[in-house]
Amino acid sequence: MTSPGIRLLPLVATAMLASPLVHAYDAGDLILRAGVAVVDPQDSSGNVRVGATELDGWEVNVDSNRQLGLTASYLVSDHFGVGLLAATPFKHNISGDGAALNGAGKLAETKHLPPTLTLQYFPLASGSTVQPYLGIGVNYTNFFEEETTPTLTGALGADRSTIELDDSIGLAAELGVDIALDERFGFNAAIWWADIDTEATIKGYDSAGNLKATGKVDVDIDPLVYMLGFTYRF
Ligand code: NI
């Protein structure tokens, strides 16, 4: 007479053999991820230009910001997918930098959305519970709700000032890993680099609304974006 335990063994063995297939990343799968995303600018600024004049040491820097990140991968084959990075709008302070403006404090702020589309490669077998991937693609960054501070308005000798940042389209690269906990849920960690270059146009107006001064500054924001979160596989 066989004990129930022994009769269960083949079932357990079958389940263990089958379990890698349960986690398989197959063509047609959709993987959604949500987590904390940090945009950490590795920025470098040119000098502020007024007309043809460069103001030496008048530079700016951009601080980092954390938001809810949402990403998705759609597997077009067992090893290739299309990835999308989305998030709630990031908000960054723009502060004075360089020999002349270092210590000037906050000059402006902006919000932006950096949707990033990548072609992703998943090198491991589709049954692996750990799925590293790398991707390359394009980032589009739209800046909006740009606002200046009284500090900037004062520095321009103006009564009112505006700042506007050009949209950016550039190369993006990513590295990530999904770790399956079960058939549906798992963890994700990912890092992106995006080439985000913008030109800021600063304008100062007098109390009658006449344009007094126009300045421009090129800023390479080129951020690293980090995300830690959960995955759900459909
Ligand atoms: Ni750049």
Side-chain angles (χ1 to χ4, degrees), residues 5-233:
I6 288 178
R7 266 183 283 148
L8 273 175
L9 270 179
L11 279 178
V12 172
T14 308
M16 284 173 71
L17 284 173
S19 68
L21 294 174
V22 168
H23 298 293
Y25 269 27
D26 299 319
D29 280 358
L30 177 67
I31 299 120
L32 291 186
R33 311 177 188 88
V36 176
V38 175
V39 170
D40 185 17
Q42 312 289 306
D43 51 301
S44 74
S45 164
N47 290 317
V48 174
R49 305 184 305 276
V50 177
T53 312
E54 271 202 34
L55 304 177
D56 217 28
W58 288 51
E59 298 174 19
V60 296
N61 71 52
V62 183
D63 72 352
S64 65
N65 189 241
R66 187 175 65 228
Q67 293 292 336
L68 170 69
L70 299 167
T71 73
S73 292
Y74 179 74
L75 295 189
V76 293
S77 76
D78 292 357
H79 287 284
F80 286 94
V82 176
L84 180 68
L85 164 68
T88 49
F90 291 94
K91 183 177 165 182
H92 297 274
N93 292 330
I94 300 169
S95 300
D97 204 355
L101 285 187
N102 195 5
K106 181 177 166 182
L107 303 177
E109 64 180 47
T110 184
K111 290 185 181 174
H112 76 89
L113 279 172
T116 303
L117 193 65
T118 50
L119 177 66
Q120 298 173 325
Y121 175 58
F122 296 80
L124 296 191
S126 83
S128 172
T129 55
V130 176
Q131 289 286 352
Y133 56 91
L134 51 97
I136 190 153
V138 64
N139 165 272
Y140 170 71
T141 297
N142 170 245
F143 297 95
F144 60 98
E145 288 181 23
E146 302 105 314
E147 282 171 21
T148 60
T149 63
T151 307
L152 179 59
T153 307
L156 296 170
D159 291 288
R160 190 172 70 81
S161 65
T162 62
I163 185 169
E164 196 193 298
L165 280 74
D166 288 348
D167 291 354
S168 165
I169 294 176
L171 196 69
E174 71 178 318
L175 276 175
V177 62
D178 290 329
I179 300 165
L181 293 175
D182 64 21
E183 192 180 341
R184 294 283 172 210
F185 289 98
F187 291 120
N188 169 259
I191 181 169
W192 290 256
W193 171 83
D195 188 16
I196 303 178
D197 302 338
T198 186
E199 183 186 66
T201 302
I202 302 154
K203 291 183 174 176
Y205 299 88
D206 68 15
S207 55
N210 300 309
L211 182 63
K212 284 187 65 178
T214 301
K216 286 180 185 284
V217 59
D218 293 319
V219 188
D220 287 2
I221 300 173
D222 300 350
L224 291 173
V225 181
Y226 313 97
M227 186 168 135
L228 273 181
F230 294 96
T231 63
Y232 186 84
R233 189 175 66 90

